[in-house]
Amino acid sequence: MITTAEVLEHRGNLKTTTPVKADHISKCKTFAIMLEMWWNLKCRKVKPIFTFCYYSTNRHSIIHSLRFIGPLFFCQICPCRLPVPKLEDTIRRYLAAQKPLLDDGQFTTTEKIAQDFQNGVGKQLHEELVAQDKANKHTSYISGPWFDMYLSARDSVVLNFNPFMSFNPDPKAGYNEQLVRSTNMVCSAVRFMKTLRAGLLEPEVFHLNPAKSDTDSFKNFIRWVPSSLSWYGAYMVNAYPLDMSQYYRLFNSTRIPKRGRDELLTDDKGRHLLVMRKGNMYVFDVVDRDGNLVKPAEIRSHLKYILSDSTPAPSLPLGILTSENRDVWAGLREKLVATGNAEALGLVDSALFCLCLDEESMRDHIHISHNMLHGDGCNRWYDKSFSIIIAKDGQAAINFEHSWGDGVAVLRFQNEVFKDTTEKPLVHPDSAPAAVDSASAVRRLQFHLDRELESGIKKAKENFDSAVSKLTIAAIEFKKGGKEQLKKSKLSPDAVAQLSFQMAFLRQYGQTAATYESCSTAAFKHGRTETIRPATVHTKRCSHAFVREPGKHSVEELRAMLNECSKYHGQLTKEAAMGV
């Protein structure tokens, strides 16, 4: 699996442009005048006459206000809609992806079927898709089907859909203590949420020419441009605002199981946090009635109260139900509501997010991966938009439900939280405890279970244990070179990583396999992801040269093959990112 971080890193190497439509020309001309004004200001070093400040009654509530450069969602007025690829281009790419997987006879048959489709029913289907896209200009043609794909899937979200992203340890050892780190992460997460909802979070921008666009002078200028023109300004300096509509679902959101197709629930009135420990579930407010972050010392006291709670682990942990087949879970949830648990479930669903405090310390990276990807199923609520998991030794990760959004939004959140907790922690190892009655502030949720629910929980645990027992995770750390060395050789690190997968599979199984790599299309309104097909005729030729024909080719020939693989993979990545 390729991580979102890798996709983001490689996306930064793209060089591409997007044509401006004729009906945007007048706005671009208007902006050209404004751009000239900005350039004059920059060249003459004239200081702007405006200043910006933000006042909050709670100094802990907002982060990043000093980084405010413009309206958060100015990318949402961006005229860039995800393009519908031409049918002939889709067929061409499909056949190119099939070429390394088939023998000559199979490919000839596939080619004929593809051409018949292109000249027959495919043409009609494509016309219908284009018409549907034109009738729904408020969104992308892929958005609806994408939600349907995720929400209609009946398989367990565990292993099949929910990914995880690990945090690095805090550089200051004392801040990795479970109570300290969990308190700081909760506080920073709430600060991020408030910054987001106040419209002060710096927009996500894809800079093709950072020297021009990722500068203080341009940012100071663009913030004063009317929102209807701001995207054009960014476009003219090769900066592309990324779609941030998914951020809405980050907080107070849960996937609700329904028969046939699940639903997404977001209730931004919730002010409480859901905490899980030993399978028990607790809630307490982390935002006060004025909308400010509860005092960090109080949050620390509440979490300490939970960590010291002597309540034993339940023999029938409710969280395991979220790992079940979705139709099975939907039926059991209906039963939970019918037996008087609606109010407690509502608190789970509307919580800002879930904090999972685990009892184990992590042994190594493999143990971390297993724990953060699935754990034991008892101390998780996999349906929450995201959960921050913190082990006994302070190792931390985010596990997130995938239907509402992709890794771009979660990765941004994770990076901001890590930066805030390590650079501006609000509690410290020697922080004094708050004088607060945590026993009154913290509520442990209790659920009424009948025999059918008890049986369902037991069965869910059996299914969960069976599924995770089949999962093997192994890793190797290669220390003889890295991305910087590859870049010096003008090779794409991602292309080389993908090529190494192809070589390894060929060495172990003797063949080339169809391969999937995800690429974000967040440069477009309501974009999700596109697929890169890394197995190509170039990787097949290069893999065979290294694996099957050692010593047959000169160094120059092998280098040329590597260059061709890198160049072609870069082209595939560019096309995927641009949705064409």
Side-chain angles (χ1 to χ4, degrees):
M1 178 183 292
I2 298 302
T3 66
T4 303
E6 291 172 318
V7 175
L8 287 173
E9 176 189 340
H10 306 134
R11 209 174 53 193
N13 296 325
L14 303 182
K15 294 182 179 179
T16 184
T17 57
T18 303
V20 179
K21 296 181 180 179
D23 57 350
H24 303 324
I25 291 178
S26 60
K27 289 185 178 180
C28 286
K29 285 182 178 178
T30 302
F31 189 82
I33 298 172
M34 303 178 77
L35 190 63
E36 183 179 2
M37 292 168 57
W38 163 70
W39 184 255
N40 289 335
L41 283 171
K42 178 181 178 183
C43 292
R44 297 171 188 170
K45 298 182 179 180
V46 178
K47 293 183 178 180
I49 62 174
F50 303 105
T51 58
F52 172 80
C53 66
Y54 179 81
Y55 176 77
S56 171
T57 57
N58 184 333
R59 67 186 179 91
H60 299 309
S61 289
I62 299 289
I63 59 175
H64 310 130
S65 58
L66 295 180
R67 296 172 57 198
F68 173 70
I69 63 165
L72 167 63
F73 293 108
F74 80 88
C75 51
Q76 302 311 309
I77 56 87
C78 160
C80 276
R81 299 182 64 241
L82 185 65
V84 177
K86 295 180 180 179
L87 178 59
E88 54 268 30
D89 289 340
T90 299
I91 296 296
R92 173 178 55 79
R93 292 192 188 93
Y94 169 74
L95 290 174
Q98 294 299 307
K99 184 73 172 176
L101 309 177
L102 307 174
D103 61 32
D104 291 343
Q106 292 171 329
F107 183 76
T108 298
T109 301
T110 301
E111 191 174 33
K112 182 180 184 306
I113 293 172
Q115 294 301 328
D116 289 344
F117 176 82
Q118 178 178 338
N119 298 325
V121 67
K123 184 180 296 185
Q124 178 185 344
L125 292 172
H126 184 74
E127 291 172 355
E128 291 178 8
L129 179 60
V130 170
Q132 184 184 62
D133 182 56
K134 288 181 178 179
N136 293 278
K137 293 185 177 180
H138 63 286
T139 187
S140 70
Y141 75 94
I142 200 67
S143 181
W146 216 260
F147 279 113
D148 286 340
M149 174 189 69
Y150 277 118
L151 295 174
S152 298
R154 300 293 84 192
D155 292 328
S156 168
V157 297
V158 183
L159 302 186
N160 297 303
F161 297 103
N162 283 30
F164 80 94
M165 298 180 183
S166 287
F167 286 94
N168 284 328
D170 193 301
K172 303 180 291 296
Y175 288 80
N176 287 309
E177 193 272 327
Q178 188 179 33
L179 177 59
V180 175
R181 194 168 205 201
S182 58
T183 304
N184 279 320
M185 285 199 167
V186 168
C187 292
S188 291
V190 175
R191 278 150 57 87
F192 180 93
M193 180 200 71
K194 287 186 59 58
T195 307
L196 169 69
R197 290 180 175 174
L200 303 179
L201 190 67
E202 183 174 342
E204 196 83 43
V205 179
F206 176 28
H207 298 278
L208 283 174
N209 191 350
K212 285 187 176 181
S213 59
D214 196 12
T215 63
D216 290 339
S217 55
F218 181 74
K219 291 175 182 178
N220 287 331
F221 168 75
I222 199 68
R223 55 185 276 208
W224 300 111
V225 177
S227 60
S228 60
L229 294 173
S230 58
W231 185 88
Y232 298 93
Y235 170 83
M236 292 184 70
V237 290
N238 250 354
Y240 298 89
L242 302 185
D243 181 84
M244 296 178 75
S245 59
Q246 294 177 8
Y247 284 59
Y248 166 71
R249 296 280 189 186
L250 254 177
F251 297 96
N252 300 102
S253 296
T254 301
R255 176 173 175 164
I256 307 297
K258 298 287 184 179
R259 298 179 192 272
R261 185 184 188 275
D262 294 350
E263 297 176 357
L264 291 175
L265 171 72
T266 300
D267 181 0
D268 57 13
K269 295 182 178 63
R271 297 185 286 114
H272 59 283
L273 173 71
L274 171 66
V275 183
M276 299 188 71
R277 176 175 175 260
K278 296 195 296 187
N280 292 307
M281 306 170 75
Y282 308 80
V283 294
F284 65 86
D285 286 350
V286 290
V287 176
D288 65 23
R289 293 185 179 182
D290 295 324
N292 294 315
L293 173 68
V294 169
K295 292 179 180 178
E298 294 184 9
I299 293 175
R300 181 181 185 275
S301 293
H302 298 337
L303 292 175
K304 184 177 181 180
Y305 173 82
I306 292 172
L307 285 168
S308 60
D309 183 16
S310 60
T311 302
S315 58
L316 297 168
L318 199 67
I320 194 69
L321 292 179
T322 62
S323 71
E324 256 291 12
N325 169 279
R326 302 307 293 180
D327 281 335
V328 173
W329 171 209
L332 291 170
R333 183 184 168 99
E334 290 173 358
K335 186 67 175 176
L336 274 168
V337 172
T339 50
N341 297 293
E343 190 260 346
L345 283 172
L347 289 171
V348 172
D349 297 337
S350 60
L352 269 67
F353 60 93
C354 181
L355 173 68
C356 303
L357 300 174
D358 286 355
E359 293 293 288
E360 274 190 296
S361 292
M362 301 292 98
R363 296 185 300 273
D364 50 36
H365 291 299
I366 304 301
H367 189 195
I368 292 172
S369 296
H370 277 290
N371 190 65
M372 305 309 184
L373 181 62
H374 55 77
D376 66 1
C378 301
N379 203 46
R380 303 285 184 270
W381 196 267
Y382 298 107
D383 288 351
K384 285 302 290 181
S385 54
F386 73 91
S387 297
I388 295 180
I389 305 167
I390 303 184
K392 193 74 172 178
D393 57 0
Q395 291 283 351
I398 294 176
N399 182 294
F400 68 96
E401 197 281 312
H402 213 330
S403 66
W404 64 270
D406 304 306
V408 175
V410 180
L411 185 63
R412 169 72 182 277
F413 167 73
Q414 182 179 33
N415 287 337
E416 299 283 13
V417 166
F418 182 78
K419 179 181 176 66
D420 197 52
T421 56
T422 54
E423 296 182 2
K424 300 176 182 178
L426 295 182
V427 299
H428 311 279
D430 57 354
S431 292
V436 61
D437 183 9
S438 293
S440 299
V442 177
R443 173 183 171 187
R444 182 167 61 86
L445 300 182
Q446 299 189 35
F447 296 87
H448 307 289
L449 306 177
D450 62 13
R451 288 185 178 180
E452 181 181 346
L453 288 167
E454 291 176 353
S455 175
I457 291 173
K458 292 176 182 177
K459 183 63 177 176
K461 179 60 173 168
E462 291 174 7
N463 293 338
F464 176 89
D465 290 342
S466 175
V468 300
S469 69
K470 298 180 176 69
L471 175 67
T472 299
I473 299 176
I476 183 172
E477 190 173 357
F478 182 77
K479 296 183 178 181
K480 295 182 179 180
K483 65 179 181 181
E484 297 306 324
Q485 182 177 335
L486 292 171
K487 288 177 180 178
K488 288 179 182 178
S489 300
K490 297 183 179 180
L491 293 173
S492 161
D494 182 45
V496 173
Q498 293 294 332
L499 178 60
S500 70
F501 298 157
Q502 298 299 319
M503 289 186 182
F505 197 89
L506 178 65
R507 188 183 301 275
Q508 186 164 352
Y509 297 104
Q511 65 184 73
T512 298
T515 313
Y516 168 95
E517 181 183 7
S518 178
C519 180
S520 173
T521 54
F524 301 94
K525 186 174 183 179
H526 296 177
R528 294 294 302 246
T529 61
E530 183 55 87
T531 300
I532 303 170
R533 299 292 180 186
T536 68
V537 292
H538 306 289
T539 61
K540 184 175 183 178
R541 184 183 306 117
C542 190
S543 297
H544 275 262
F546 276 89
V547 176
R548 294 286 182 83
E549 303 165 345
K552 181 179 179 180
H553 303 276
S554 67
V555 172
E556 290 73 20
E557 290 173 331
L558 293 173
R559 187 181 297 276
M561 291 183 197
L562 289 172
N563 287 334
E564 190 61 35
C565 289
S566 179
K567 179 181 176 181
Y568 189 70
H569 187 79
Q571 177 186 331
L572 293 178
T573 305
K574 170 184 170 181
E575 292 174 349
M578 300 310 295
V580 296

